[in-house]
């Protein structure tokens, strides 16, 4: 959020060992501003803006407040964790640097974290997602720390539990796993050698699993509406035609299945969707001519007709992207609620 006009704008943000720089765009050579972290405090979640979600606040020693909004919960938590670590390093006279996991943990070159993550998510042979209860809260679509280590050992991905702990910490640091609940999040925020816990009371989840926590928790876990509980299977920007003025605007789309919904957002980063398309029983096809009757093969148009016979016209950037979206929506419409 700008300090002069209090308007929200997307910025390229860089975390340094002693401060935060922000740029108008990634390619800029000089920053628009810099926030010193020495003596600063961080507040997350920040509730100063009502419906605006995923906001955190940095207050400097001069009592200047700086507000940032992430695109989603996991992104906010990742920034908060690293900024807190940077502040702790400054207080302790240490040098903070967010090194890559492979260098900092000495991960073997033969380990492919991306491939391992896909194996862990396999519906038949992967880690089973459960609904776990702790401290009068129900954590949905998650699993315990010891289950992760058990799976790595039984799958012969590691030789022993100590090596499994190293790999699990790598997956956590690179964002393939996310902490859920106070115990696992405290371990991530601390300075322990292994941020991952081989513990049945430490909960974790996959970032695109549809995780949610019922009842309010200490770190603002949100009770999501039924339509937001589905697993995210695809997201990206498309052009959407308005129903009234028939004008075209770029929107960010997030596709979820079970329940099957396609939510669309302002790409500038608004937290609430502008609308939702219920996909159960819908029909989606490519469009070869637009409303004016002109051929539009090069325009990559496609149409969604809902079960209530509402028509949505969308435009992809390429024929390949259009095909990918059509196939993904067709799958969600058949399998989702």
């Amino acid at each position: 959020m700008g300090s002069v006009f209090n308007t929200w704008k997307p910025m390229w943000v860089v975390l340094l060992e002693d401060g935060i720089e922000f740029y108008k765009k990634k390619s800029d050579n000089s920053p628009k501003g810099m926030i010193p972290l020495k003596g600063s405090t961080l507040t997350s979640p920040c509730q100063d803006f009502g419906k605006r979600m995923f906001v955190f606040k940095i207050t400097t020693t001069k009592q200047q407040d700086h507000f940032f909004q992430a695109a989603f919960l996991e992104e906010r938590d990742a920034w908060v964790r690293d900024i807190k670590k940077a502040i702790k390093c400054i207080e302790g006279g240490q040098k903070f640097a967010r090194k890559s996991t492979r260098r900092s943990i000495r991960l073997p070159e033969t380990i492919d974290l991306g491939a391992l993550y896909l194996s862990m998510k396999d519906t038949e042979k992967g880690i089973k997602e459960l609904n776990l209860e702790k401290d009068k809260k129900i954590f949905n679509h998650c699993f315990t720390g010891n289950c992760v280590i058990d799976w790595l050992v039984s799958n012969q991905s590691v030789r022993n539990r100590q090596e499994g702990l190293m790999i699990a910490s790598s997956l956590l640091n690179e964002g393939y796993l996310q902490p859920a609940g106070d115990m696992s999040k405290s371990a991530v925020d601390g300075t322990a050698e292994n941020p991952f816990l081989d513990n049945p009371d430490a909960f974790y989840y996959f970032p695109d699993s549809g995780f949610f926590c019922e009842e309010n928790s200490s770190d603002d876990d949100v009770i999501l509406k039924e339509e937001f509980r589905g697993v995210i299977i695809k997201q990206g920007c498309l052009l959407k035609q308005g129903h009234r003025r028939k004008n075209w605007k770029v929107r960010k789309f997030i596709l979820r299945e079970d329940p099957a919904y396609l939510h669309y957002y302002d790409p500038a980063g608004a937290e609430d969707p502008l609308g939702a398309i219920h996909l159960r029983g819908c029909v989606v096809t490519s469009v070869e001519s637009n409303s004016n009757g002109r051929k539009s093969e090069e325009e990559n148009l496609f149409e969604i007709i809902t079960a209530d016979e509402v028509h949505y016209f969308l435009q992809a950037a390429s024929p390949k992207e259009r095909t990918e979206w059509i196939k993904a929506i067709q799958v969600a419409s058949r399998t989702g609620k």
Side-chain angles (χ1 to χ4, degrees):
M1 187 180 77
S3 58
V4 179
F5 298 106
N6 294 336
T7 54
W8 292 84
K9 293 183 178 180
M11 306 290 285
W12 179 257
V13 183
V14 178
L15 174 60
L16 307 174
E17 63 182 61
D18 60 350
I20 292 177
E21 291 182 342
F22 47 96
Y23 300 75
K24 190 173 181 179
K25 53 186 178 181
K26 185 179 179 180
S27 58
D28 286 353
N29 293 323
S30 57
K32 296 284 290 183
M34 193 270 193
I35 303 170
L37 291 179
K38 184 177 182 179
S40 296
T41 58
L42 191 149
T43 304
S44 178
C46 175
Q47 306 288 0
D48 293 15
F49 301 95
K51 291 185 177 181
R52 190 173 285 275
M53 299 173 65
F54 316 133
V55 175
F56 62 91
K57 175 174 68 174
I58 299 173
T59 304
T60 66
T61 53
K62 295 182 179 181
Q63 298 304 306
Q64 293 177 325
D65 293 333
H66 300 272
F67 300 93
F68 294 88
Q69 180 184 18
F72 47 90
L73 180 64
E74 294 82 11
E75 183 182 51
R76 183 200 69 187
D77 288 350
W79 274 98
V80 167
R81 283 196 298 269
D82 281 340
I83 293 171
K84 283 183 176 179
K85 286 181 181 179
I87 294 174
K88 283 185 180 179
C89 286
I90 294 172
E91 293 173 351
Q94 300 173 326
K95 187 175 181 179
F96 170 80
R98 193 178 187 278
K99 300 177 181 179
S100 73
T101 296
R102 191 171 296 278
R103 291 197 303 270
S104 61
I105 304 184
R106 297 178 183 177
L107 199 63
E109 294 296 331
T110 54
I111 295 293
D112 185 338
L113 293 179
L116 185 59
Y117 168 71
L118 294 177
S119 298
M120 295 171 74
K121 289 196 64 182
D122 186 275
T123 54
E124 294 183 0
K125 299 181 180 180
I127 296 175
K128 303 302 179 185
E129 295 179 272
L130 305 169
N131 296 337
L132 303 173
E133 186 173 356
K134 185 180 181 183
D135 299 330
K136 297 182 179 180
K137 304 183 188 77
I138 300 176
F139 298 85
N140 297 265
H141 299 290
C142 65
F143 38 84
T144 64
N146 66 320
C147 283
V148 173
I149 307 301
D150 289 343
W151 185 88
L152 290 170
V153 173
S154 64
N155 199 49
Q156 297 183 341
S157 299
V158 297
R159 291 171 294 181
N160 51 56
R161 299 191 76 84
Q162 186 60 35
E163 192 171 287
L165 199 59
M166 181 185 72
I167 298 299
S169 297
S170 305
L171 290 163
L172 186 67
N173 288 342
E174 295 298 324
Y176 291 109
L177 300 178
Q178 294 291 333
D182 295 335
M183 177 182 285
S184 56
K185 290 185 177 182
S186 295
V188 171
D189 291 337
T191 56
E193 180 181 356
N194 289 312
F196 190 90
L197 298 177
D198 182 3
N199 191 306
D201 292 324
F203 299 165
Y204 300 89
Y205 64 95
F206 297 122
D208 56 353
S209 65
F211 164 81
F212 65 99
C213 176
E214 295 178 281
E215 292 191 16
N216 293 329
S217 71
S218 60
D219 63 341
D220 193 36
D221 286 321
V222 180
I223 303 176
L224 297 178
K225 295 179 181 179
E226 177 66 25
E227 64 188 63
F228 291 101
R229 294 183 178 181
V231 176
I232 297 175
I233 59 175
K234 188 172 178 59
Q235 56 183 306
C237 288
L238 298 166
L239 277 170
K240 175 185 175 295
Q241 187 182 53
H243 280 101
R244 292 183 181 179
R245 299 181 182 179
K246 304 299 181 183
N247 55 337
W248 292 84
K249 291 186 178 181
V250 176
R251 297 296 182 220
K252 179 182 177 181
F253 286 82
I254 296 181
L255 175 61
R256 293 177 171 89
E257 66 173 356
D258 196 22
Y261 277 89
L262 183 63
H263 295 93
Y264 51 94
Y265 300 75
D266 183 339
E271 72 283 359
D272 293 326
L274 299 173
I277 306 173
H278 191 193
L279 299 176
R280 180 63 173 171
C282 78
V283 175
V284 54
T285 58
S286 59
V287 177
E288 304 306 333
S289 62
N290 60 23
S291 57
N292 296 326
R294 292 190 297 108
K295 291 287 287 182
S296 58
E297 293 178 355
E298 296 180 358
E299 296 181 0
N300 309 309
L301 297 174
F302 62 99
E303 179 184 16
I304 299 173
I305 306 174
T306 69
D308 297 329
E309 296 188 358
V310 180
H311 295 242
Y312 295 87
F313 290 94
L314 307 173
Q315 182 180 17
S318 66
K320 179 182 178 182
E321 185 181 51
R322 176 174 70 170
T323 300
E324 290 175 351
W325 273 105
I326 290 175
K327 288 182 178 179
I329 293 170
Q330 286 174 339
V331 171
S333 67
R334 290 194 298 265
T335 59
K337 296 178 183 176

